Amino acid sequence: MLPGSIQISGETLSGAEIRDICESLRENSVRLLSLRGCQLSERDFGHVCRGVAESRSLAQLNLNLGIVSNINRVKQLAEALKTNRSVQSLFLHGSPLTDAGLALLNPALSIHPSLVALDLGDCMLGDEGINLICGLLPPDGAKSGLKELTLSANPGITSKGWGRLAIAVAHSSQLRPWFAPPTGDQVAGMLAVAVASSRTLEVLDLEGTGLTNQSAQTLLDMVENYPTALRTLILAENNISPELQQQISDLLSEGEEEEETEAHEVTAREKNPWICQNNSSSQMVLMTSGLGDSLLAETEM
């Protein structure tokens, strides 16, 4: 039987329900486990963690909205992830981790062989947490690391922290979507450098992050004048004029259309090697979109 999913939201879970969940985990019949916003005892949380440790089928684990509510639970989750080898996506959005909790969790995250998507949005993180996260974004040629990262709603991160993360993103050979809102215009330039330098970053979500036309103009200049793998830039709920947002969107769309045209031309030449190019000096850069083969989709936060 193919592994299925268990998705429960906002419920108070009984001991019997927890036993059923743990049995399914041990039988490797669960690929997606979502307990978003659920209430469960300390003992039952420990049982779930032991089930996660034993599972060889679990690929996506959603513990959003306060499930990991204290340091003891962080420790139990860390122990589970040290043993588990299958989890690819871990969602902890809305957990009061703080930098201290992330420090406890980080060793397990850094050695996990399969983890490529991590949501740490609204986890009360600061600059010390950012330093740990940068270690999960290895530079080109290094070990594999995160491909999808969410860090929204962490107001404790300063401009210095966002700047360090921008440098790590610029040198990361893996990261695709990046949801990491900065704190206003002061880091827009650093973000532009990171996006322009990254060959893999395709989605940047900056919704409601206090940006103005000044930031938008910097981002527009980057999109207009420098090659980038970026395909989607979300700027809603900022003090940015609709005209500037539309200009940026149009330029990103043009880049995607040009890429598709070039891809078709490459395919045609492969099918017919006798086709000649009129412009022998033209250069072609192909950048593949990771969105088509993205990780397991998270349907609700």
Side-chain angles (χ1 to χ4, degrees):
M1 181 172 60
L2 292 175
S5 65
I6 298 175
Q7 300 187 63
I8 309 172
S9 180
E11 300 288 338
T12 299
L13 301 178
S14 67
E17 290 172 316
I18 293 296
R19 284 193 294 273
D20 289 340
I21 291 171
C22 293
E23 183 178 351
S24 296
L25 288 169
R26 286 192 295 269
E27 292 176 348
N28 299 309
S29 60
V30 180
R31 183 167 176 80
L32 185 159
L33 174 60
S34 176
L35 303 179
R36 175 180 176 271
C38 289
Q39 301 293 322
L40 60 163
S41 69
E42 294 297 317
R43 179 181 178 182
D44 285 341
F45 183 84
H47 289 325
V48 170
C49 285
R50 285 191 286 275
V52 169
E54 295 176 25
S55 177
R56 298 189 304 275
S57 64
L58 185 64
Q60 180 168 322
L61 178 60
N62 183 337
L63 299 176
N64 283 349
L65 302 184
I67 302 294
V68 186
S69 56
N70 56 55
I71 289 296
N72 184 54
R73 292 193 176 192
V74 173
K75 292 178 180 177
Q76 292 183 81
L77 178 60
E79 288 301 314
L81 292 174
K82 286 179 182 178
T83 304
N84 176 276
R85 291 291 180 268
S86 63
V87 170
Q88 301 172 27
S89 305
L90 177 63
F91 297 87
L92 299 176
H93 200 106
S95 302
L97 288 180
T98 72
D99 290 348
L102 183 58
L104 293 173
L105 194 59
N106 185 67
L109 300 178
S110 62
I111 65 172
H112 198 284
S114 302
L115 186 68
V116 290
L118 181 63
D119 185 345
L120 295 176
D122 194 18
C123 284
M124 302 174 64
L125 300 180
D127 288 355
E128 292 183 13
I130 286 295
N131 292 340
L132 297 172
I133 290 166
C134 288
L136 303 176
L137 304 176
D140 292 352
K143 64 178 182 179
S144 61
L146 293 180
K147 295 182 179 179
E148 300 186 12
L149 173 63
T150 301
L151 289 173
S152 55
N154 282 296
I157 301 173
T158 69
S159 298
K160 180 180 179 181
W162 289 120
R164 177 163 187 184
L165 184 64
I167 294 171
V169 169
H171 288 278
S172 173
S173 60
Q174 302 286 332
L175 200 63
R176 294 200 303 253
W178 183 34
F179 303 89
T183 53
D185 288 326
Q186 64 267 34
V187 293
M190 291 184 289
L191 281 174
V193 171
V195 173
S197 301
S198 174
R199 297 195 301 272
T200 54
L201 182 62
E202 297 175 345
V203 180
L204 181 58
D205 185 349
L206 300 177
E207 180 177 353
T209 54
L211 301 182
T212 68
N213 283 344
Q214 177 183 337
S215 300
Q217 194 63 54
T218 300
L219 294 168
L220 174 64
D221 180 70
M222 179 270 298
V223 172
E224 189 172 22
N225 296 297
Y226 299 94
T228 173
L230 193 67
R231 292 293 170 263
T232 302
L233 178 59
I234 301 171
L235 295 172
E237 303 299 324
N238 285 295
N239 190 23
I240 298 175
S241 69
E243 292 77 16
L244 270 175
Q245 293 192 49
Q246 190 61 51
Q247 282 182 270
I248 294 172
S249 177
D250 290 345
L251 284 170
L252 291 174
S253 298
E254 288 176 8
E256 190 168 3
E257 291 171 0
E258 291 174 0
E259 178 183 312
E260 291 176 355
T261 300
E262 291 172 345
H264 287 311
E265 291 175 354
V266 169
T267 302
R269 286 200 302 273
E270 289 175 348
K271 291 182 178 179
N272 188 350
W274 302 107
I275 295 178
C276 297
Q277 297 296 308
N278 292 329
N279 185 1
S280 60
S281 63
S282 63
Q283 294 181 336
M284 183 173 295
V285 179
L286 298 181
M287 294 178 286
T288 60
S289 171
L291 297 181
D293 58 349
S294 64
L295 305 170
L296 292 170
E298 172 66 11
T299 56
E300 57 178 355
M301 184 172 290

